[in-house]
Amino acid sequence: RMPVSVPAADRRQRASAAFSLSFLSLVFSITAFSSSYWCEGARKVAKPFCRGQSKGDHCIRFNSPDANNSNAVQYIWETGDDKFVDRKFHAGIWYSCEELINEEGETCRSFISLTPAADRGVLWLSIVAELLYIILLLTGAILMSMEMCYYSTVIDGLKINTFSAVVTVLAGLLGMVAHMMYTTVFQMTVNLGPEDWRPHTWDYGWSYCLAWASFACCMAAAVTTINKYTKTILEFKHKRKTLERSLKIKYKFPHH
């Protein structure tokens, strides 16, 4: 009985590993899709004049009652970065937010409205691909959970295993295309977007890394599922050959 139970336990472990990877990929993709930290950076803006009692390095005390002439003259002759301040921003698929200077909080606007008109179609394709990616990941996770809880014949389990493998591979391909399309759109927006938004320095944020981590988990789940299917088929072929060999021996040397 032990040789029969060990492969069954191994198959159950592989199914559990594939489901865990698929579920992790689903959580990562939903988190990344709903966040606005795909890209982060800063934009140089001119320092505003200080108002009221505002103080600090983020505004210019010029033409103020308590500003002396030396400060005014010093500002007039300033050049370079002293006249500007870095305004941090973060952007995602849905919206882009910038911090408020000399105030708490941030202001947000739709990222779709910032995208050049020629690239909005690609952005919408990216959004649709991301949604399909999440839907297929959810479908694959449901199929894998059904396979784990399915206690009927192994053949039925193999059928579910095949569907979940196909769905997961298709999800991974859609996710890869969606992430690459968004990367292209963002780079085009940096070069051709509105003047009051274009960043001077930027880099990819944690949401972007999370999206690619989701893709990696998805492909790992697909490989685990396909490997489980292949191993089960090989086990069936081995058992069939063993059975045929034993039957040949039985018919060759029948018991009298």
Side-chain angles (χ1 to χ4, degrees):
R1 291 185 180 181
M2 285 300 294
V4 177
S5 61
V6 170
D10 183 60
R11 283 197 299 269
R12 193 172 290 107
Q13 287 177 358
R14 288 174 183 271
S16 177
F19 172 76
S20 300
L21 287 167
S22 183
F23 182 76
L24 198 64
S25 176
L26 179 64
V27 172
F28 284 172
S29 62
I30 292 174
T31 305
F33 186 66
S34 58
S35 69
S36 62
Y37 285 86
W38 285 62
C39 299
E40 299 177 76
R43 182 170 64 90
K44 289 189 182 296
V45 295
K47 291 180 181 179
F49 292 118
C50 295
R51 295 180 179 179
Q53 298 297 321
S54 359
K55 295 181 180 179
D57 299 330
H58 296 302
C59 65
I60 303 163
R61 300 200 66 79
F62 185 58
N63 289 339
S64 299
D66 56 344
N68 55 36
N69 291 331
S70 62
N71 288 336
V73 172
Q74 181 184 358
Y75 170 69
I76 289 170
W77 288 99
E78 276 179 350
T79 56
D81 292 339
D82 291 333
K83 290 183 182 180
F84 298 94
V85 63
D86 288 336
R87 188 178 186 184
K88 295 180 181 179
F89 84 98
H90 55 90
I93 293 178
W94 297 107
Y95 50 90
S96 173
C97 297
E98 292 180 284
E99 66 175 353
L100 297 172
I101 303 174
N102 288 329
E103 292 182 31
E104 294 291 331
E106 55 187 16
T107 176
C108 299
R109 45 185 165 168
S110 170
F111 182 74
I112 298 170
S113 64
L114 300 171
T115 309
D119 297 309
R120 283 178 191 168
V122 181
L123 180 60
W124 279 112
L125 281 175
S126 173
I127 291 172
V128 171
E130 285 284 352
L131 286 171
L132 287 174
Y133 172 56
I134 292 172
I135 291 170
L136 287 174
L137 279 177
L138 179 62
T139 305
I142 291 172
L143 288 171
M144 290 175 190
S145 64
M146 285 174 60
E147 184 187 356
M148 287 173 60
C149 303
Y150 210 87
Y151 295 105
S152 184
T153 62
V154 181
I155 298 298
D156 292 336
L158 277 176
K159 289 177 182 178
I160 298 174
N161 186 260
T162 306
F163 285 126
S164 60
V166 171
V167 167
T168 309
V169 170
L170 187 59
L173 293 175
L174 272 173
M176 180 182 66
V177 171
H179 303 342
M180 292 175 68
M181 282 195 295
Y182 177 80
T183 305
T184 304
V185 169
F186 185 83
Q187 291 175 351
M188 292 299 293
T189 307
V190 168
N191 295 325
L192 304 174
E195 288 286 348
D196 64 341
W197 179 84
R198 293 184 200 175
H200 288 81
T201 58
W202 65 276
D203 202 353
Y204 296 110
W206 62 266
S207 295
Y208 187 81
C209 298
L210 203 62
W212 282 108
S214 168
F215 167 75
C217 289
C218 174
M219 297 312 294
V223 169
T224 306
T225 307
I226 293 170
N227 181 265
K228 176 179 174 292
Y229 175 84
T230 307
K231 192 169 183 180
T232 306
I233 292 295
L234 290 175
E235 285 174 6
F236 267 109
K237 287 183 177 180
H238 177 70
K239 287 179 181 179
R240 183 179 177 183
K241 286 181 181 179
T242 306
L243 182 62
E244 287 176 351
R245 195 178 296 115
S246 64
L247 287 173
K248 283 180 182 178
I249 294 172
K250 185 178 180 180
Y251 282 115
K252 190 175 288 185
F253 303 102
H255 294 286
H256 297 286

